[in-house]
Amino acid sequence: MSSLFNTLKADVLIIGAGPSGALAASFLRQAGHSVCIFERSTFPRFSIGESLLPQSMTFFKKAGVLPKIHAAQFQRKNGAAFQYGNKHSHIDFSNKFTEGPAETYEVQRADFDMILADHAKSLGAKICYEHTVTAYEEGTNGVTLKGTNAQDIPYEAHGKFVLDASGYGRVLPRLLNLEKPSDFPVRKAIFSHIKDNISHPAFDREKILITIHADNPNIWYWLIPFSNGTSSIGVVGEESTIDAASLTDEERLTNLIRQDQHYQTIMPDFSFTRPIASMVGYSCNVERLHGKHFALLGNAGEFLDPVFSSGLTIAAKSADLAVDVLLKQLAGQTVDWEKEFSEPLMIGVDAFRGFVESWYEGPLQKVILEQPKDSSEVKKMIISMLAGYAWDEDNAFVKKGKYLLNIVAKSL
């Protein structure tokens, strides 16, 4: 493959080979369009966001990649467990309001993202790894991307449309000055992978464990078990609070884990298997999600918070919605990106936003820990949201989640 792509052309250029980019490429190739993906890193590569939601399984099935995901034997996930001091509760996704898959997986993203990218490649998508994008130029009939490869040799690519799936890299928002501040406080996440050595019967490997700090409910932990005896673990809180736990991120993460009595009970003998990493101020937003020749997918557009694992589901949904509109545009039809892409996507993003805000403000924590009765339709609607079905407008919690959670919390 030549290092210089002055004459490279594809119907659609995609920035980023992560889940939203790979899924979009698969959908486009299924429809017969040429696709070229520019990915700045090499795969496989480490990433967080390892706990999937059942809603996302519908998009993997549509892309034709679901059998390959099943074959990888990732950790099965059927719900979520919550711990706050001596209080424990759990939800089972099978008890949801919305029809659709009730199970999914906890995945090592290096392997999972490679499966999605390789699947897109098997369908005919071209993937250029170690290619950064440094310029975006619009013309009368299309768009040009420019950048450099791993050898610092410049390239350019021409297409009819660009999908930005660059995630936290947020390539087009930065190049086109689309970024705007998030409404959320600046929070910090510190995280790693561990050999968990968990054998305690109280721990269910088929559920992500969300733990609330006993003395500060604005600090929470995730523990995502994998099928090989390791887990992803992380702590999230406002930056000043997390930094106050110690001098280094490794000491902070270790100290915060040891402060929790439940962790001491279920995994007294854990060890880190990779360096501790951190992210600060990860919540983000943009002025708009589309332009004449581009659309933003997943985290390139907006990222809320990792607490309910919504990121990958939003990424998959955005790829699905965008490609549906783009296929009509490429066929010469008149489309309205705002009505057909942005507004439908934001129904779910705003629904998740309400749940995130309610979590940090307290009502949702109370609702989860002191759940309505199992037969309650309200509980089923809440579980559907936590399973990722944030676009089901028959569910009252999609449009009025924060308001209704306040009412439910007051009734408990």
Side-chain angles (χ1 to χ4, degrees):
M1 184 173 65
S2 172
S3 297
L4 187 61
F5 292 124
N6 285 326
T7 60
L8 179 69
K9 293 182 180 181
D11 292 335
V12 182
L13 309 177
I14 298 178
I15 306 172
S20 62
L23 286 172
S26 295
F27 297 148
L28 287 162
R29 287 300 304 144
Q30 287 172 334
H33 289 283
S34 57
V35 179
C36 188
I37 304 175
F38 298 92
E39 168 57 50
R40 68 177 179 179
S41 66
T42 57
F43 276 27
R45 54 91 174 94
F46 173 78
S47 180
I48 57 169
E50 299 127 325
S51 190
L52 308 184
L53 298 180
Q55 164 77 95
S56 61
M57 302 296 276
T58 60
F59 305 113
F60 304 145
K61 182 178 180 180
K62 182 176 179 179
V65 73
L66 196 53
K68 298 176 183 178
I69 295 173
H70 289 324
Q73 298 184 326
F74 293 115
Q75 174 63 54
R76 177 174 172 263
K77 176 186 176 184
N78 61 18
F82 298 85
Q83 189 78 33
Y84 180 27
N86 293 325
K87 293 182 178 180
H88 178 86
S89 68
H90 70 274
I91 61 168
D92 291 307
F93 293 144
S94 61
N95 192 28
K96 59 184 173 54
F97 172 81
T98 307
E99 292 185 4
E103 293 187 358
T104 185
Y105 294 104
E106 317 274 28
V107 301
Q108 295 95 327
R109 284 286 300 277
D111 298 331
F112 179 77
D113 289 9
M114 189 86 247
I115 290 170
L116 297 187
D118 282 348
H119 179 70
K121 188 175 180 180
S122 74
L123 296 177
K126 186 182 188 68
I127 304 180
C128 301
Y129 290 107
E130 296 187 278
H131 281 62
T132 60
V133 174
T134 57
Y136 168 95
E137 298 175 359
E138 289 189 354
T140 304
N141 299 315
V143 65
T144 298
L145 294 180
K146 296 181 179 180
T148 55
N149 65 12
Q151 290 74 44
D152 205 29
I153 299 173
Y155 73 87
E156 63 180 43
H158 307 281
K160 300 174 182 177
F161 202 86
V162 172
L163 294 173
D164 185 352
S166 59
Y168 298 117
R170 298 169 63 75
V171 172
L172 290 189
R174 297 180 193 279
L175 290 177
L176 303 180
N177 296 316
L178 299 175
E179 292 189 298
K180 70 176 184 179
S182 170
D183 295 332
F184 290 140
V186 175
R187 295 190 176 99
K188 179 173 183 175
I190 48 176
F191 48 89
S192 186
H193 284 181
I194 59 171
K195 181 174 176 57
D196 56 59
N197 296 311
I198 298 176
S199 59
H200 198 283
F203 184 67
D204 183 353
R205 296 196 78 87
E206 295 186 349
K207 292 178 174 63
I208 182 176
L209 174 62
I210 301 295
T211 301
I212 303 166
H213 192 283
D215 299 322
N216 187 342
N218 281 320
I219 297 177
W220 63 273
Y221 309 71
W222 76 72
L223 184 64
I224 302 171
F226 300 133
S227 57
N228 62 357
T230 66
S231 292
S232 171
I233 192 165
V235 183
V236 178
E238 292 192 16
E239 183 179 12
S240 59
T241 305
I242 296 297
D243 285 348
S246 193
L247 296 177
T248 69
D249 281 341
E250 180 168 356
E251 291 172 343
R252 290 166 185 146
L253 183 54
T254 301
N255 290 343
L256 287 164
I257 292 171
R258 288 175 176 165
Q259 287 175 17
D260 184 76
Q261 184 59 50
H262 187 63
Y263 277 140
Q264 292 184 35
T265 300
I266 65 172
M267 55 174 213
D269 185 28
F270 72 90
S271 58
F272 293 114
T273 60
R274 61 169 293 111
I276 281 68
S278 65
M279 293 180 63
V280 179
Y282 44 76
S283 298
C284 52
N285 206 343
V286 290
E287 296 288 344
R288 54 194 169 98
L289 292 172
H290 60 87
K292 183 178 180 181
H293 294 295
F294 75 87
L296 308 180
L297 306 183
N299 293 348
E302 181 168 5
F303 180 72
L304 300 172
D305 192 273
V307 66
F308 298 122
S309 307
S310 62
L312 201 145
T313 298
I314 293 173
K317 179 70 174 181
S318 69
D320 186 50
L321 284 171
V323 170
D324 281 351
V325 181
L326 182 54
L327 290 177
K328 291 190 288 185
Q329 180 170 309
L330 293 172
Q333 299 179 36
T334 300
V335 298
D336 186 332
W337 278 91
E338 189 66 21
K339 295 290 185 183
E340 298 178 60
F341 172 65
S342 296
E343 291 180 7
L345 180 62
M346 292 308 296
I347 288 171
V349 173
D350 288 340
F352 279 125
R353 186 196 321 280
F355 268 58
V356 170
E357 289 174 349
S358 183
W359 171 266
Y360 284 106
E361 291 169 11
L364 183 52
Q365 292 188 15
K366 183 177 181 180
V367 169
I368 288 174
L369 292 166
E370 303 175 24
Q371 297 180 22
K373 294 180 180 179
D374 288 347
S375 60
S376 167
E377 196 80 346
V378 167
K379 179 176 179 179
K380 291 181 179 180
M381 289 181 175
I382 294 170
I383 289 175
S384 278
M385 273 295 306
L386 297 177
Y389 292 95
W391 290 268
D392 177 10
E393 294 184 77
D394 290 332
N395 182 344
F397 283 80
V398 168
K399 284 294 185 73
K400 298 182 178 180
K402 186 176 178 180
Y403 170 76
L404 293 175
L405 287 168
N406 285 338
I407 293 175
V408 175
K410 289 176 181 178
S411 72
L412 296 174

